[in-house]
Amino acid sequence: MQRGSHHEAWSSRFAFLLAAVGSAVGLGNIWKFPYVTGVNGGGAFVLVYVACVILVVIPILIGELLIGRRGGESPANSMAALAKDENRHSSWEILGWLGIIAAFLILTFYSVIAGWSLAYVLETAKGSFENIDATGSREIFDGLLADPLSLGLWHGLFMGITMFVVSRGVKKGLERAVTVMLPSLFVILLVLVGYAAIAGEFKRAFDFLFTTDFSKIDANVILIAVGQAFFSVSVGIGALMTYGAYLPRDVSIPKMSCVIAAADTLVAVLAGLAIFPIVFAYGLEPGEGPGLIFVTLPIAFGQMPGGTFIGTLFFVLLAFAALTSSISLLEPTVSRLVEQRDWKRVPVTICAGVAAWLVGLGSVFSFNNWADFTPLGIFPTFANKTVFDLLDYLATNILLPLGGMLIAIFAGWLMAKKSTLDELGLTDGPVYRVWRFLVRFVSPVAVGLVFLFNLA
Ligand code: PFF
């Protein structure tokens, strides 16, 4: 069967762009970026983060999309096909499987957190946070986490919506969903930034995000920034490689990659500019950690005029952002399965989604019944890690950077120069040479160093 014949293609470059930006923009931007920046000293972290995106992540993203489009299939079959074309060992197929497995594993716990955002849409809309204090807000959050039944149901609802979109296919499902959700997400975000600019301490937030105190940059900050950059731009696993397989040939991969990374970074910074002015205006703690948007922000929503509306809008934004990412996490598995003797998309999506939901229950229980269960507790590094922590660690700190490094090696060293030039539609000029230098030397070395530090 001809390569790519199992799959539909995007109807336009704009559709692909929306889908890829939708994959990149997610909980990583709105939930994680602000709190990680808050914990790691503000402007210094932002600077290191942007450097990682430009020097390490964009070159790998270009490599990932190029492999995806040239292979034209799911990551596993694309890697197998390219290894053959380029006369490389057939075990490179494993890199594709690694991507599929990483995406699946991330989906299992991503959906649990996304479920919190659905729960918070309801909670905020009901007015539960009106005039609440810090203790009350924490009680609501802790109450949600302590209840496996409701966590499991919200996780199930979110997974169900993801499955519905993916089951409808590339054009009717993925494309339609992102065409509605991504522009809405931008509008909501801009409304929230506008509100924060008028009602919050915007100048302080701006200084917090952009004033760089170089003394705060150390190895640990760099380590966290690299991990966050990979996760946030969705690079290093099968998601964007799969989206690349549906990409028409006349689209410029280097340009698209820069736009995707720039849009992702812009949204992360805008999320910071929506959240921190409110945090400062209400005397809350910017370094609060993972609870920043679920515990801290609702206190502000409860006090501000129109807070029920603004708060509900905020959690709708979070849920939309999560959904356009979760569909890209389910798609790699589905795309591999439909290549299997032409299995049908709907039953395959249902099976994969239900399996991800079941595995995700391990993360659900990590917040309550299994809170003290640390499966790898005998190893000092994993001493306090629950099932959720372990999956997050495995996917974000190991599989994503490892996948990224292998993609860089394959695209930079093992593919013939002619193939990469041809697929990127470039001549052997400055743009190509800068990319090739970064993807051969800078990206793999940077990731290698991160691993060494991580293990040390
Ligand atoms: N980039 C998404 C976020 O920032 O939330 C998460 C993600 C999606 C990571 C898809 C990896 C991926 F393949």
Side-chain angles (χ1 to χ4, degrees):
M1 195 173 268
Q2 200 197 344
R3 241 191 242 176
S5 58
H6 301 91
H7 304 291
E8 299 170 74
W10 303 109
S11 44
S12 66
R13 77 188 59 199
F14 189 61
F16 163 75
L17 192 63
L18 284 182
V21 172
S23 168
V25 170
L27 297 172
N29 305 61
I30 299 165
W31 171 58
K32 218 166 176 190
F33 181 82
Y35 93 70
V36 175
T37 304
V39 173
N40 289 288
F45 179 81
V46 176
L47 185 79
V48 178
Y49 176 81
V50 171
C52 289
V53 169
I54 296 174
L55 297 175
V56 182
V57 165
I58 292 182
I60 298 182
L61 174 56
I62 295 176
E64 182 166 343
L65 290 175
L66 124 82
I67 292 174
R69 185 167 70 184
R70 208 165 176 79
E73 300 264 306
S74 68
N77 285 3
S78 286
M79 279 308 303
L82 287 198
K84 204 162 164 212
D85 291 352
E86 303 286 331
N87 287 323
R88 301 295 169 186
H89 199 275
S90 59
S91 56
W92 275 98
E93 181 180 344
I94 296 173
L95 171 57
W97 282 107
L98 191 83
I100 295 177
I101 293 168
F104 182 86
L105 284 182
I106 294 179
L107 176 64
T108 66
F109 62 82
Y110 199 84
S111 164
V112 175
I113 314 264
W116 301 355
S117 65
L118 290 181
Y120 265 62
V121 171
L122 185 69
E123 210 61 62
T124 323
K126 274 191 333 202
S128 308
F129 296 109
E130 274 162 28
N131 296 320
I132 207 158
D133 59 7
T135 324
S137 179
R138 182 156 291 286
E139 268 169 17
I140 293 183
F141 187 56
D142 289 347
L144 174 69
L145 296 196
D147 178 1
L149 183 65
S150 59
L151 280 189
L153 288 176
W154 287 115
H155 161 48
L157 177 63
F158 185 82
M159 191 69 83
I161 303 174
T162 306
M163 283 154 59
F164 175 72
V165 173
V166 172
S167 69
R168 294 174 57 87
V170 175
K171 289 202 176 85
K172 282 205 194 121
L174 275 53
E175 246 180 69
R176 264 199 207 162
V178 294
T179 316
V180 176
M181 277 188 289
L182 205 67
S184 326
L185 184 154
F186 268 102
V187 172
I188 299 177
L189 191 57
L190 290 178
V191 169
L192 292 173
V193 173
Y195 181 85
I198 297 165
E201 292 213 19
F202 200 71
K203 163 113 188 29
R204 234 178 112 188
F206 196 86
D207 290 345
F208 179 72
L209 285 172
F210 299 113
T211 311
T212 310
D213 172 358
F214 285 96
S215 69
K216 293 203 170 132
I217 301 179
D218 58 18
N220 196 40
V221 167
I222 299 178
L223 211 78
I224 295 173
V226 174
Q228 171 66 14
F230 270 89
F231 186 81
S232 185
V233 186
S234 301
V235 155
I237 62 168
L240 292 183
M241 198 185 277
T242 310
Y243 278 11
Y246 312 153
L247 187 59
R249 282 210 53 92
D250 60 343
V251 177
S252 158
I253 288 180
K255 272 193 207 140
M256 282 288 163
S257 303
C258 293
V259 177
I260 296 165
D264 184 66
T265 307
L266 181 72
V267 171
V269 169
L270 285 176
L273 288 177
I275 292 171
F276 287 120
I278 295 178
V279 167
F280 289 130
Y282 288 87
L284 306 169
E285 179 49 58
E288 156 76 31
L292 185 67
I293 63 172
F294 291 105
V295 180
T296 309
L297 266 192
I299 305 172
F301 293 143
Q303 292 177 27
M304 65 177 62
T308 299
F309 178 69
I310 293 285
T312 309
L313 210 57
F314 178 83
F315 288 109
V316 169
L317 163 79
L318 193 63
F320 274 14
L323 189 63
T324 55
S325 298
S326 65
I327 54 181
S328 76
L329 291 165
L330 183 56
E331 181 64 24
T333 307
V334 170
S335 85
R336 177 63 191 83
L337 291 174
V338 293
E339 286 162 1
Q340 193 73 28
R341 297 190 214 95
D342 280 328
W343 285 356
K344 293 280 164 285
R345 189 173 253 272
V346 175
V348 154
T349 309
I350 295 174
C351 292
V354 170
W357 179 76
L358 284 173
V359 177
L361 291 181
S363 294
V364 163
F365 291 129
S366 301
F367 296 102
N368 35 69
N369 299 1
W370 293 357
D372 299 322
F373 175 46
T374 52
L376 299 180
I378 43 166
F379 303 103
T381 326
F382 304 120
N384 298 316
K385 290 201 168 7
T386 59
V387 173
F388 169 78
D389 296 331
L390 285 174
L391 284 172
D392 183 19
Y393 184 87
L394 174 69
T396 317
N397 292 15
I398 300 182
L399 296 180
L400 285 193
L402 181 66
M405 181 150 81
L406 293 174
I407 288 170
I409 292 173
F410 191 82
W413 293 95
L414 300 182
M415 285 183 74
K417 198 169 170 186
K418 194 173 152 302
S419 319
T420 50
L421 274 171
D422 169 51
E423 197 59 45
L424 295 179
L426 292 173
T427 52
D428 192 359
V431 175
Y432 180 75
R433 289 197 185 154
V434 169
W435 170 71
R436 198 156 148 96
F437 174 76
L438 292 173
V439 86
R440 296 182 116 197
F441 298 102
V442 179
S443 310
V445 170
V447 179
L449 286 177
V450 167
F451 270 128
L452 279 183
F453 273 114
N454 247 341
L455 296 178

